[in-house]
Amino acid sequence: MRKVKTLNKILFVSGAILILYSIYFLLVFPKNQGAYFIGLVGAVMVFYAFARKWLLTKCKRGFPRFARVAVLFGFYLMLATFAGFCVSVAVVSTHVPDGEKDAIIVLGAGLHGDSVSLTLAKRLDKAIEYYSENPSVLIVVSGGQGRDELVSEAFAMKKYLVQHGVDAGSVLLEDKSTSTEENFRLSKKLLDGWFGGEAYASAYVTNSFHCYRAGKFAERAGMDTDFLPAATPFYLLPAYCARDYLGVAYFFIIRQ
C-alpha cells in the first residue's frame, strides 16, 4: 500500500509539473503542438494517479483488463520512445560537419513582426560562427513570409546576419518556401544554379531537436548534405523536442 501511495504521489507531482510547464509555455511563447502534447501527458498522469486504485479494482479480468494493459503499454512505449528521441537530440548536438563547406542553408523559423525569434537567432548565430571560421562560405537563408509576419523570414535573416558582420554578398535569399520540405527543394535549385551544375559541399543549419527530421526532407529533395546543429535555450527544449517527436512519428507512420 505504501508503494502504491508513493507511486501515485510521483505520478501526480510529475503530471502537475508538466501541466504547469505547458501553461507557462503557451502563455509566454507562440503556440506549439509540443506544449499541448506535454500538457496532455501531464493530465493523463494526474488522472491516473487519482484513478489508479479504481482501475486496478474494476479492471481485473476480461476486456476491461486487456484495455487497461493495452493503454498503459502504449503510454509507456510512447514515453520510452520520447526518451530515446531526447537522447538522440543530445547526441546530435555535439555533431561537427566533415570538411569545409561551400554553402550552408539556414532553415527559417518564426518571426516576431520583422525580427527573428529566439530559436531562429540561435540558428543564425551558428551560421555566423561558421562564417567567421570559413569566410568564403555561401549562406542561403531559407524561409517565406507567414500570414502574421511583416516580411519574409529570409529577409529578416539576412538583415540579422549583415548586422552581425556577415558580408551581404555572401548571403542568398530563398524567400518562397512555406515548409521544411520546400526549404530544401528551393534552396537546392538556387545552389545548383549558383554553382553552375558543379559539385559543391553543403550543410544545413537548424536546432538540434530538428536535425533528424530536417535531414529526411533533405534526402527527399535529393540533397546529400551535412548539418550544423544550433543550440536551444534549455527552457524551450521540452516543448520543441515534443513537437519534433510528434513530427518524426507522423513522418514514419503517415508519410512513409
Side-chain angles (χ1 to χ4, degrees):
M1 180 62 71
R2 183 174 297 175
K3 290 183 178 180
V4 171
K5 289 183 177 180
T6 300
L7 180 57
N8 287 347
K9 288 179 180 178
I10 293 173
L11 286 170
F12 175 79
V13 172
S14 301
I17 290 173
L18 294 180
I19 292 171
L20 290 174
Y21 173 82
S22 175
I23 293 172
Y24 161 76
F25 192 98
L26 293 171
L27 289 175
V28 177
F29 300 101
K31 297 296 183 287
N32 180 298
Q33 298 95 326
Y36 288 112
F37 175 73
I38 288 175
L40 178 61
V41 171
V44 170
M45 293 173 72
V46 169
F47 168 79
Y48 189 60
F50 283 108
R52 186 163 175 263
K53 183 178 179 179
W54 182 85
L55 289 171
L56 291 173
T57 302
K58 298 295 183 181
C59 305
K60 285 185 175 181
R61 57 181 65 87
F63 180 77
R65 182 178 184 276
F66 169 79
R68 175 176 63 82
V69 172
V71 170
L72 283 177
F73 175 78
F75 185 74
Y76 289 133
L77 178 63
M78 179 194 68
L79 291 181
T81 54
F82 178 62
F85 177 78
C86 291
V87 170
S88 72
V89 169
V91 172
V92 159
S93 66
T94 64
H95 176 75
V96 178
D98 295 328
E100 187 174 328
K101 305 303 178 184
D102 301 303
I104 56 175
I105 303 167
V106 186
L107 303 181
L111 300 180
H112 299 309
D114 60 354
S115 301
V116 301
S117 63
L118 180 58
T119 302
L120 183 52
K122 292 294 184 181
R123 300 181 187 184
L124 294 167
D125 290 340
K126 175 58 71 171
I128 293 168
E129 178 186 318
Y130 190 84
Y131 173 83
S132 67
E133 298 172 356
N134 305 274
S136 63
V137 72
L138 181 68
I139 302 175
V140 178
V141 286
S142 179
Q145 183 175 351
R147 293 181 180 179
D148 58 344
E149 296 171 343
L150 300 179
V151 297
S152 70
E153 293 173 2
F155 180 87
M157 292 159 75
K158 181 173 182 178
K159 179 181 176 182
Y160 183 95
L161 290 174
V162 173
Q163 288 176 341
H164 288 77
V166 177
D167 182 4
S170 297
V171 184
L172 289 183
L173 270 72
E174 184 292 290
D175 58 1
K176 304 300 180 185
S177 56
T178 59
S179 66
T180 304
E181 193 165 3
E182 289 185 351
N183 284 150
F184 285 110
R185 180 166 54 82
L186 298 178
S187 295
K188 181 179 185 299
K189 183 177 180 180
L190 197 62
L191 287 172
D192 288 348
W194 180 271
F195 288 102
E198 296 183 4
Y200 56 89
S202 67
Y204 61 89
V205 184
T206 190
N207 301 87
S208 55
F209 61 80
H210 187 232
C211 285
Y212 178 80
R213 189 160 62 100
K216 291 298 180 182
F217 286 121
E219 290 176 8
R220 288 194 170 191
M223 292 196 74
D224 181 14
T225 185
D226 206 337
F227 63 90
L228 272 167
T232 306
F234 73 92
Y235 52 88
L236 298 180
L237 266 176
Y240 281 111
C241 282
R243 186 187 68 176
D244 249 65
Y245 167 76
L246 295 175
V248 169
Y250 171 81
F251 190 92
F252 280 104
I253 296 172
I254 298 177
R255 294 205 56 169
Q256 291 282 44

